Amino acid sequence: MIRMQRASYMDVSNTVNVTDAAAVKAAILDILQSLYSNCDFAHIDQLVTDFSRLYRGDFPGYEACDAPYHDVQHVLDVTLAMARLIAGYEAEPGEAGPLGHDLALAGIATALFHDCGYIRRTGDNRNKNGAAYTRVHVKRGAKFLREYLPQAGLSKLVGTCTRIIHFTAYRTHPRNLAVNSERERCLGSLLGTADLIAQMSDVEYLRKCREHLYREFEIGGLAGTQSAIAREDLLFRSPDHLLETTPAFMRNTIDERLEHELGGVHRYAARFFGGTHLYMDAIIDNWHLLQDLLMEDAPALKTASMR
């Protein structure tokens, strides 16, 4: 197994800094303009600008993002993956037919704001961290999009965006989600897929699970200490327990969620990259690394880096 050497802030192709909104925006625009050369994507600039304002706390009515795992890098990584999946699909559309400019724009808009439900409103005295909204963040995100898109001059996207955001709800089967068309269902599957392949292919995925994702689950009431594990809704009793269950989660995500529930659309990423599935390669690499560390009971599980 040869592990790609890339900095923690780089995407799977090692060409885009996914902590830099301007760099991701440029990459997305290159993709979209090559697909729809006669269409105007001026709205992308506003969407990325407003996303950046929202996450740093400059958007009226909202605090800065304080969720430790679902942060700016995660969202930008997902949005870049979404643009690539759209491009792979449009190169050879499935039975639903080409997505076209408007649905592609809706896909990018939803990707940018798919996790904004973790962000607290100004003056929120109920919770001290946005991760407390883990259980309801998708519904909160849909509400934000319903309010925000008309302000951005994108009222026509409200219906699509507020429907497909629910494809990122991991425990919701896509067949139970209402859509307006098979093209919209395809777009939702691409979005749900982008969310998963971006996070699991992150070169720092294992460290972030242990240090950040567990903390979010704890704040959100889904994880706790051994003494509290009697509660049926607690999924993890410690950061190490989360990591111990992660290989099975990754395997199930690939076999069930990506392949069956979301229709295997992750393969459009390979089409974008000319036949090499960089996302899946990185995911499998992370899976093997974690398996090795768990078998060795390695001290590396408790270090700051797992590369």
Side-chain angles (χ1 to χ4, degrees):
M1 177 179 63
I2 299 175
R3 194 164 169 79
M4 175 184 282
Q5 297 299 309
R6 55 185 166 109
S8 62
Y9 52 83
M10 297 301 287
D11 80 303
V12 291
S13 71
N14 211 22
T15 61
V16 182
N17 180 347
V18 285
T19 66
D20 183 344
V24 172
K25 179 180 73 174
I28 289 170
L29 283 173
D30 282 347
I31 292 170
L32 296 180
Q33 289 168 353
S34 70
L35 293 175
Y36 317 104
S37 57
N38 296 323
C39 296
D40 180 13
F41 280 99
H43 282 295
I44 294 292
D45 185 67
Q46 181 178 1
L47 288 167
V48 174
T49 296
D50 288 342
F51 156 78
S52 297
R53 292 171 59 215
L54 178 65
Y55 272 70
R56 67 171 177 259
D58 293 337
F59 196 89
Y62 289 86
E63 303 287 351
C65 175
D66 52 16
Y69 183 86
H70 293 91
D71 60 1
V72 166
Q73 179 173 349
H74 165 71
V75 176
L76 291 176
D77 211 353
V78 170
T79 306
L80 179 60
M82 182 62 173
R84 289 167 169 169
L85 287 170
I86 290 171
Y89 176 84
E90 294 288 63
E92 192 176 332
E95 294 182 3
L99 296 173
H101 167 274
D102 286 352
L103 282 181
L105 181 60
I108 297 302
T110 313
L112 278 169
F113 295 100
H114 80 280
D115 275 340
C116 68
Y118 284 101
I119 298 178
R120 294 179 300 130
R121 285 187 173 272
T122 303
D124 183 349
N125 296 317
R126 180 184 305 175
N127 297 297
K128 296 182 179 180
N129 188 284
Y133 295 108
T134 294
R135 299 173 189 266
V136 295
H137 78 276
V138 176
K139 290 182 180 179
R140 295 180 86 243
K143 184 175 186 296
F144 175 89
L145 284 167
R146 192 174 295 112
E147 296 172 352
Y148 162 71
L149 289 171
Q151 299 173 20
L154 292 169
S155 296
K156 65 181 180 180
L157 302 185
V158 170
T160 295
C161 292
T162 55
R163 285 188 290 269
I164 68 169
I165 192 174
H166 293 281
F167 281 76
T168 66
Y170 188 81
R171 297 184 180 279
T172 299
H173 198 295
R175 68 168 173 249
N176 297 324
L177 297 174
V179 292
N180 260 9
S181 66
E182 285 307 304
R183 288 195 307 152
E184 192 172 277
R185 183 173 299 282
C186 176
L187 188 69
S189 294
L190 294 174
L191 178 64
T193 296
D195 189 21
L196 291 169
I197 65 174
Q199 64 181 347
M200 292 193 300
S201 64
D202 186 339
V203 74
E204 293 282 338
Y205 178 59
L206 307 183
R207 179 186 67 80
K208 289 179 179 179
C209 281
R210 189 181 194 281
E211 296 182 6
H212 302 317
L213 186 57
Y214 178 82
R215 179 59 180 150
E216 283 194 8
F217 284 147
E218 192 174 39
I219 295 169
L222 295 171
T225 63
Q226 181 72 43
S227 60
I229 202 64
R231 280 177 45 195
E232 293 182 358
D233 57 342
L234 291 180
L235 302 178
F236 311 106
R237 58 180 176 268
S238 70
D240 286 340
H241 181 226
L242 185 152
L243 281 184
E244 289 164 8
T245 63
T246 296
F249 164 80
M250 295 175 76
R251 187 78 264 169
N252 185 71
T253 296
I254 294 170
D255 293 344
E256 297 300 324
R257 187 67 175 176
L258 292 177
E259 286 292 344
H260 298 297
E261 295 180 12
L262 295 173
V265 299
H266 64 89
R267 292 183 176 82
Y268 292 119
R271 185 176 295 168
F272 174 82
F273 286 118
T276 302
H277 201 330
L278 295 183
Y279 286 100
M280 194 58 67
D281 288 349
I283 291 169
I284 293 172
D285 195 15
N286 277 336
W287 186 86
H288 281 298
L289 176 62
L290 180 53
Q291 285 283 68
D292 290 345
L293 293 172
L294 290 172
M295 287 180 65
E296 297 168 5
D297 193 23
L301 288 176
K302 297 181 174 64
T303 64
S305 177
M306 294 188 183
R307 289 181 294 146

